[in-house]
Amino acid sequence: MTSGQHLDLSTDVARMLAAKAQDLVSRGGSVDADWIGQQRVELGVDDAPIVAETEPSSPVLAQIRADYLAWIKIHRRPKTWDDYRLTLRQTVLDDLMATHVENLVREDFAETIAKIAEGGHFRQAEKTGQILSAMYTWATEDSRIRGYDLTRGMLVGLKPPEVLVVRKPKRRPKPHEVRKLLQLRETMNPVTAAAVTLMIYTVQRRYTIAQARREHFKRIGSQLVWTVPASHLKSKRDHALPVPREAWPVIEAIDEGWLFPSADSRSGHISEYTLTHELGDLKVGFSPHDLRRAFNDVVRAKGFTRSDVKIVLDHSEGATGDVTGEHYDLYEDLPIKGRMLKIWSDALKPKTKKPRRQKVEEFSFGEVGADVVRSSAVPGSLDASS
């Protein structure tokens, strides 16, 4: 096939056309005069023929997203599916998702993730670019590319432009700010409100809260103890925690199974990201992890040490494999944990005004010498000799 004359096309452009033709043939397509004519129009060599407008034949990007997420749900871990689902459903991607793929070019995606980065979320922009690129790679595999009519490799290496990343100071909410979140529970879905309650009063990580099961909570004496299995923890060892009484109704409301079930989740329980997004939607000004810093500040102010705080927060930083740490009694620290969590839960109680003390009338001297006139408010407090 003749792609053109040397006066029309440069050598580089001719080679590019040849490469595209080879790719088309390898995918079962055929190169003919119509195809070459279309390529020449796209290159601006020839004028486009005037044709009646027709509806795009390719699917909108949202259809590919739905198919991709359905595949991820089957072939990847629930946590990966949750992560990809939330990333690909960001509102900033809505315009892209509503566009037919034949009308999209790489620059459309690049400009969108640049907006995310410029909004101060560089890491999120970088992650979004990676997941969009992974979706395109999946959709352009040999067994799928015909159905989606995408250009292979179009999003390879997609990343946001470099921006100045300003590290924000870590947020340390005060008890009155956390009390405000407690008051907002009535606006939440009941399951989410229950999860937020347990998260606030036990200050455990999001995924530990999300995976809580009723059988992990047992009465030990006068305490309700949550024994968290190692698989639900970052430290990868079992963790026992006395639950503050303010959170008991959350546990006692469930007879068995997941404490925070979700019919929409393949795992059967709510996603850890539900808690993050709930706090974000409510604009409380802090994240679930910031609650742990708030707990640290409150109990450290009462004289507890950094090491004390670690046994509640399940921190293993600095661990060096000492035998004592690896073979400790799971319940030996319950008393000190209970004291710290009691201080924390007390700090979250609504502040009530102290009753004003009744004013006691002052003693006065009458006009008759030094006779003391006693106030009726303090009977018997003084006698005449006083």
Side-chain angles (χ1 to χ4, degrees), residues 42-61:
E42 291 179 3
L43 290 169
V45 177
D46 298 331
D47 293 330
I50 299 175
V51 294
E53 291 186 6
T54 57
E55 287 294 321
S57 58
S58 62
V60 294
L61 191 61

Side-chain angles (χ1 to χ4, degrees), residues 109-365:
F109 295 89
E111 290 168 2
T112 300
I113 64 170
K115 288 179 184 177
I116 302 174
E118 290 163 2
H121 306 285
F122 181 81
R123 297 302 176 201
Q124 182 65 21
E126 193 172 44
K127 176 181 174 182
T128 302
Q130 291 169 351
I131 294 179
L132 284 170
S133 181
M135 182 179 76
Y136 248 69
T137 299
W138 173 85
T140 55
E141 290 179 359
D142 290 344
S143 60
R144 302 185 185 95
I145 194 167
R146 281 189 177 183
Y148 296 127
D149 194 25
L150 299 178
T151 302
R152 183 179 276 122
M154 189 173 87
L155 298 187
V156 170
L158 182 66
K159 59 182 181 180
E162 290 189 15
V163 295
L164 178 62
V165 179
V166 179
R167 297 197 177 277
K168 299 178 181 178
K170 293 179 179 178
R171 291 168 291 190
R172 314 184 84 89
K174 301 296 181 185
H176 74 270
E177 296 176 284
V178 182
R179 285 197 294 272
K180 178 183 175 182
L181 175 58
L182 286 169
Q183 294 168 358
L184 291 171
R185 286 177 296 173
E186 61 186 25
T187 67
M188 303 177 192
N189 170 286
V191 174
T192 304
V196 167
T197 300
L198 187 64
M199 180 177 67
I200 288 174
Y201 284 109
T202 63
V203 289
Q204 298 305 292
R205 296 182 178 91
R206 298 171 306 163
Y207 53 81
T208 302
I209 297 294
Q211 297 179 87
R213 295 185 66 86
R214 181 62 181 88
E215 55 265 31
H216 298 159
F217 297 82
K218 303 290 183 184
R219 285 288 186 95
I220 299 180
S222 62
Q223 294 180 319
L224 180 60
V225 177
W226 182 11
T227 304
V228 189
S231 60
H232 296 183
L233 294 161
K234 189 176 181 180
S235 66
K236 300 305 179 186
R237 67 178 187 182
D238 292 348
H239 179 47
L241 202 70
V243 179
R245 288 183 177 271
E246 289 82 356
W248 284 22
V250 169
I251 294 100
E252 293 170 344
I254 301 295
D255 294 329
E256 62 181 6
W258 299 115
L259 216 57
F260 311 115
S262 172
D264 298 329
S265 171
R266 186 158 62 101
S267 64
H269 58 76
I270 65 170
S271 165
E272 63 188 271
Y273 300 103
T274 299
L275 298 170
T276 302
H277 287 285
E278 187 67 33
L279 269 60
D281 291 343
L282 293 172
K283 295 180 171 58
V284 294
F286 55 87
S287 70
H289 195 78
D290 295 330
L291 288 168
R292 294 161 64 83
R293 297 191 188 97
F295 168 80
N296 174 80
D297 292 345
V298 168
V299 298
R300 290 291 299 277
K302 294 294 184 179
F304 289 92
T305 67
R306 188 186 302 272
S307 297
D308 295 334
V309 175
K310 280 185 177 183
I311 63 174
V312 170
L313 299 182
D314 185 47
H315 279 173
S316 57
E317 290 87 347
T320 56
D322 62 285
V323 175
T324 303
E326 292 177 0
H327 300 283
Y328 74 111
D329 180 348
L330 182 60
Y331 302 105
E332 67 180 351
D333 291 325
L334 284 180
I336 188 173
K337 291 177 181 177
R339 290 197 295 275
M340 285 187 282
L341 287 168
K342 180 68 166 57
I343 289 171
W344 171 243
S345 59
D346 284 347
L348 301 182
K349 290 179 179 177
K351 297 299 181 183
T352 56
K353 292 183 179 180
K354 294 182 180 179
R356 295 179 63 183
R357 295 180 61 184
Q358 185 176 359
K359 185 177 180 180
V360 178
E361 296 179 21
E362 296 179 356
F363 292 100
S364 60
F365 293 94

